Amino acid sequence: MALSLKIEDTVQAGRRAMYGVAKQGPAPVEVPAALGSHATVLRTRRGQALALGPQGDETAFIVRSGVLMLDVTLPDSARQVAALIFPGDLIRTSFAPPCAKATLVAAAAGEVWRMRFSAVETFAASDPDIMRYLNEAVARRIAHQTIHAAMLGRLDSEQRVATLLVEFALRTGRCLPQGVVFDLPASRKDIADFLGLNPDTLSRIMSRFRGASLFSHAGRNKIVVRDFVALAARSPAASSLMALDGAPPGLSIDASA
Amino acid sequence: MALSLKIEDTVQAGRRAMYGVAKQGPAPVEVPAALGSHATVLRTRRGQALALGPQGDETAFIVRSGVLMLDVTLPDSARQVAALIFPGDLIRTSFAPPCAKATLVAAAAGEVWRMRFSAVETFAASDPDIMRYLNEAVARRIAHQTIHAAMLGRLDSEQRVATLLVEFALRTGRCLPQGVVFDLPASRKDIADFLGLNPDTLSRIMSRFRGASLFSHAGRNKIVVRDFVALAARSPAASSLMALDGAPPGLSIDASA
DNA sequence: CGAACAATTGAATCAGGTCAATAGTAGTGG
DNA sequence: CCACTACTATTGACCTGATTCAATTGTTCG
């Protein structure tokens, strides 16, 4: 996520001047470059499926840019997008449950590193930076999954949608004078499957939010959040997400509130 | 989980003879004993809360016996039990999302090892067994969380309850002639909070299952599953759970079905 | 025994799902 | 550049599964 935010440094500076010092989350441990030299670089297109690989052959995927969805379908059940995987995140074959249809699908075009997990383990043993990255990436993944579980189990549909928008704003948003702008690189169906809603309900709530001027569209999949604070107020997970992912540039929000 | 099952070896053998060879899941990597010598041993009582520790001071907990619940309450939201943590599992401070009320609560009496995570990291760098245990424990945790997400997002209330019963049967069940027996070491409220239901609904479904003779009670919290196959048929996650946790002793069920 | 709490169960309500009709949006080929 | 197709999104009307509320029963423990 740091990537897309850095691009906007100048705009950020402007916003920061307007609103006060940005509260940045703890800088995430960067993906060690050493791993890149041993990985296969994949370029993903929107909608492309990446096989997680057979259970025996443990593979690791590190997202460098773009967004992946971890798609799970239990037998005789509807699809659930179990996780959104953003730049810096790592996932492994065994993160997917066995006996379920599980695939990685690219929501947005981007770059993914693929390597055998045993190789990652070997590097981690000798390089503390890699060990730290590995453990931190995994902890962040579980923390997100935990929030996701709390969302699916306890939030109503409006709160879920607000949470999703906050997540995208934090992870891929750029802060422009009109507000926080980001792509929603997934169909309504995909998003609904992530939120545990059905597409009709999602569409209704998006319309309701648009009616309440929480955001507006700027093109097919482009969203402009005019009042991020109001949006965050609708999501019980907003403060947790801000603490995990860093607050969006140019907004001085106390994540611990 | 291996612990409680092993106790029943003789009974298992009998059942195995009756039903055919038990399909055991892949033997989980054992908790390296070396970790124990550097850990603080905690004995938990039912209902006891263990603080996860402050964010800066990363702590690891390894469950040796009993069951823990990872309890999460997002601000202005209802409680969600984000995970059940069984013997062999490991969890860390940073698995809980920041800015949320998160605690570990013992559902059943048992033993827990506590140690600084930095120590675990150090051991892992020098001992490949510890590294392997660490990575495997974490992968299993995420796989379970993924199933949990699919359950919360896509299963109806009956399927959720069936899934919970299957999980407990696999993890803490003993196979007796009458069926698979296990303790349900949590109140209706706790279980409902894990399943994303409310206690009334849970109670209704338990009654319905009891009426359908899927299980019966043997004391306050003791459950006897008379027909495990019929129960498993009601849970889309059953095969995944069996593959992850191992099938219950004495039942020859193809987890890949 | 009786108080405090946990679980069950019925009746009424409602959030979200389902179904169906409509409108918008690429993409394609003449 | 404009039809034409195939798809995705939106929206309304209706329905259902789960929640809420309340009354009752069962259990634990001083």
Side-chain angles (χ1 to χ4, degrees), chain A residues 5 20 22 32 54 57 74 76 98 104 109 128 141 150 161 164-166 202 207 228 230 232 238 255:
Chain A
L5 296 183
D57 177 30
L74 295 175
D76 307 311
L104 285 173
R141 176 98 298 279
V161 176
L164 178 98
L165 294 172
V166 167
L202 174 60
S207 302
F228 182 83

Side-chain angles (χ1 to χ4, degrees), chain B residues 1-256:
Chain B
M1 92 227 77
L3 290 175
S4 52
L5 297 184
K6 273 177 194 155
I7 296 167
E8 294 302 314
D9 261 347
T10 55
V11 181
Q12 276 178 42
R15 288 248 106 187
R16 212 171 285 141
M18 288 169 63
Y19 286 94
V21 178
K23 160 83 170 57
Q24 297 289 348
V29 173
E30 285 296 317
V31 181
L35 284 175
S37 50
H38 295 273
T40 306
V41 175
L42 307 173
R43 302 228 115 251
T44 58
R45 285 195 313 277
R46 167 100 214 270
Q48 184 181 342
L50 307 181
L52 272 162
Q55 213 69 38
D57 178 29
E58 184 78 2
T59 307
F61 298 82
I62 296 174
V63 178
R64 298 317 313 283
S65 60
V67 185
L68 299 184
M69 298 180 291
L70 174 58
D71 221 281
V72 174
T73 309
L74 295 175
D76 307 312
S77 177
R79 178 178 86 137
Q80 173 71 38
V81 175
L84 295 171
I85 304 151
F86 290 98
D89 292 344
L90 171 148
I91 88 153
R92 290 166 47 188
T93 305
S94 57
F95 286 3
C99 300
K101 209 173 121 309
T103 41
L104 284 174
V105 180
E111 183 180 308
V112 177
W113 289 351
R114 182 180 61 196
M115 55 195 308
R116 313 202 69 228
F117 183 67
S118 56
V120 181
E121 257 182 330
T122 308
F123 291 132
S126 61
D127 183 339
D129 280 347
I130 295 183
M131 169 86 88
R132 209 167 313 122
Y133 164 70
L134 183 61
N135 286 328
E136 211 203 85
V138 146
R140 204 170 39 211
R141 176 95 300 281
I142 296 187
H144 271 104
Q145 288 272 117
T146 302
I147 293 172
H148 195 208
M151 189 199 76
L152 293 171
R154 288 297 177 221
L155 302 195
D156 67 26
S157 55
E158 284 208 358
Q159 295 174 317
R160 295 188 202 188
V161 175
T163 302
L164 179 98
L165 294 172
V166 167
E167 175 80 335
F168 268 100
L170 295 177
R171 293 285 205 129
T172 69
R174 287 163 304 139
C175 196
L176 301 178
Q178 316 97 50
V180 184
V181 178
F182 56 92
D183 258 0
L184 214 48
S187 69
R188 290 284 184 268
K189 173 88 171 63
D190 289 337
I191 296 172
D193 285 346
F194 177 69
L195 297 178
L197 300 172
N198 75 4
D200 309 61
T201 305
L202 174 61
S203 183
R204 254 181 272 273
I205 291 164
M206 294 288 270
S207 303
R208 214 179 298 161
F209 279 5
R210 217 179 303 118
S213 308
L214 279 177
F215 68 84
S216 54
H217 279 288
R220 183 85 173 124
N221 291 320
K222 244 190 178 37
I223 296 228
V224 186
V225 175
R226 308 200 155 279
D227 187 353
F228 182 83
V229 178
L231 180 67
R234 300 219 185 193
S235 163
S239 54
S240 293
L241 290 174
M242 281 188 272
L244 269 176
D245 302 334
L251 290 170
S252 56
I253 297 159
D254 186 1
S256 60

Side-chain angles (χ1 to χ4, degrees), chain A residues 1 23-28 136 140 143-144 147 166-167 170-171 228 237-248 253-257, chain B residues 55 96-100:
Chain A
M1 91 229 73
K23 160 81 170 59
Q24 297 287 349
E136 211 205 86
R140 202 169 41 210
H144 271 104
I147 293 173
V166 167
E167 175 80 337
L170 294 177
R171 294 285 204 127
F228 182 83
S239 54
S240 293
L241 290 174
M242 279 188 274
L244 270 176
D245 303 333
I253 297 158
D254 186 1
S256 60
Chain B
Q55 213 69 38
C99 300

Side-chain angles (χ1 to χ4, degrees), chain A residues 209-232:
Chain A
F209 280 5
R210 216 178 304 118
S213 308
L214 278 177
F215 69 85
S216 54
H217 279 289
R220 182 87 173 124
N221 291 320
K222 242 187 181 43
I223 294 227
V224 185
V225 174
R226 308 201 156 276
D227 186 352
F228 182 83
V229 178
L231 179 67

